[in-house]
Amino acid sequence: ITPTPTPTPTPVPGPAPFLDLPWDYEGKGLTFNEAANSINSYFDHEYPLLSSNLLESGLAIGTLTNYEGKFQTNLQYSRHDGYDYGVNAKVNNGDPVLAAGAGCATYNLSSAGGNVIKIDHDNYYQTQYLHLQNDGLITKDASPCVAVAKGQKIGPVGATGNVFPSGEAGAHIHFGVFEDKNKDGDFEDN
């Protein structure tokens, strides 16, 4: 008897690539891969809830799961929902932060993220840029939003909010990408 092969499901296509990294990495002599892989943080794959109002379970507080699925307890990025780019990626305090894609920018101030610019990209994706300096931001309003082009300066790299180490030595771009999975216009309820 010849076995019947199991059918392979057809993958659901995602959006066409539309984002770039939020700084001029080429101007600093880096390729995209070199820059993208020069992070100085860990993304918490178990509970990436930093920018939401949701809480992680009691057992997971202070822990994270890394990209390999390894449960870690000795790393300080519990609830971390983005990638941090700092000196390892040639990102320095005061450098321009660039819109990773075209969209509409708004401002938010938070204790953890400091000065935050959020860009809605009109395709159910939003990018967030945390810890920006106080001056030189594309907007300081939550509404209405300000149209931005891909690669446009939206503010300078800073160290506002909760950065480690504190002060200018902790300056970096916290870069997060979020999908509005239920397509209701609210990125907080997914």
Side-chain angles (χ1 to χ4, degrees):
I1 298 177
T2 304
T4 305
T6 304
T8 304
T10 304
V12 177
F18 67 99
L19 297 175
D20 201 353
L21 295 172
W23 76 99
D24 182 16
Y25 56 90
E26 291 175 328
K28 304 243 181 180
L30 298 173
T31 66
F32 177 88
N33 285 340
E34 290 169 332
N37 291 311
S38 295
I39 62 170
N40 59 310
S41 71
Y42 296 86
F43 182 88
D44 189 346
H45 288 262
E46 185 175 21
Y47 287 99
L49 306 171
L50 179 68
S51 298
S52 75
N53 294 323
L54 302 173
L55 300 176
E56 60 189 330
S57 93
L59 296 175
I61 293 174
T63 68
L64 67 81
T65 300
N66 72 12
Y67 66 95
E68 295 174 322
K70 294 180 181 173
F71 189 71
Q72 302 275 326
T73 58
N74 60 343
L75 300 171
Q76 299 179 6
Y77 292 95
S78 182
R79 298 184 58 197
H80 203 243
D81 61 2
Y83 296 93
D84 289 350
Y85 293 103
V87 293
N88 294 341
K90 300 184 180 180
V91 172
N92 300 302
N93 190 44
D95 283 355
V97 176
L98 310 177
C104 209
T106 57
Y107 171 80
N108 184 45
L109 178 63
S110 77
S111 59
N115 293 306
V116 178
I117 296 291
K118 297 179 180 183
I119 301 177
D120 289 335
H121 298 285
D122 293 331
N123 61 355
Y124 301 107
Y125 281 87
Q126 180 184 80
T127 50
Q128 297 182 9
Y129 313 78
L130 284 65
H131 310 301
L132 304 175
Q133 290 184 8
N134 289 319
D135 297 323
L137 299 173
I138 189 79
T139 186
K140 276 210 147 174
D141 291 320
S143 177
C145 63
V146 174
V148 294
K150 183 176 186 173
Q152 182 177 348
K153 180 182 175 184
I154 59 171
V157 173
T160 61
N162 186 16
V163 297
F164 181 83
S166 63
E168 287 187 20
H172 65 277
I173 304 169
H174 173 108
F175 179 58
V177 180
F178 301 88
E179 180 184 7
D180 181 8
K181 292 186 180 208
N182 60 9
K183 299 179 179 14
D184 68 351
D186 182 359
F187 287 90
E188 300 294 323
D189 68 349
N190 290 295

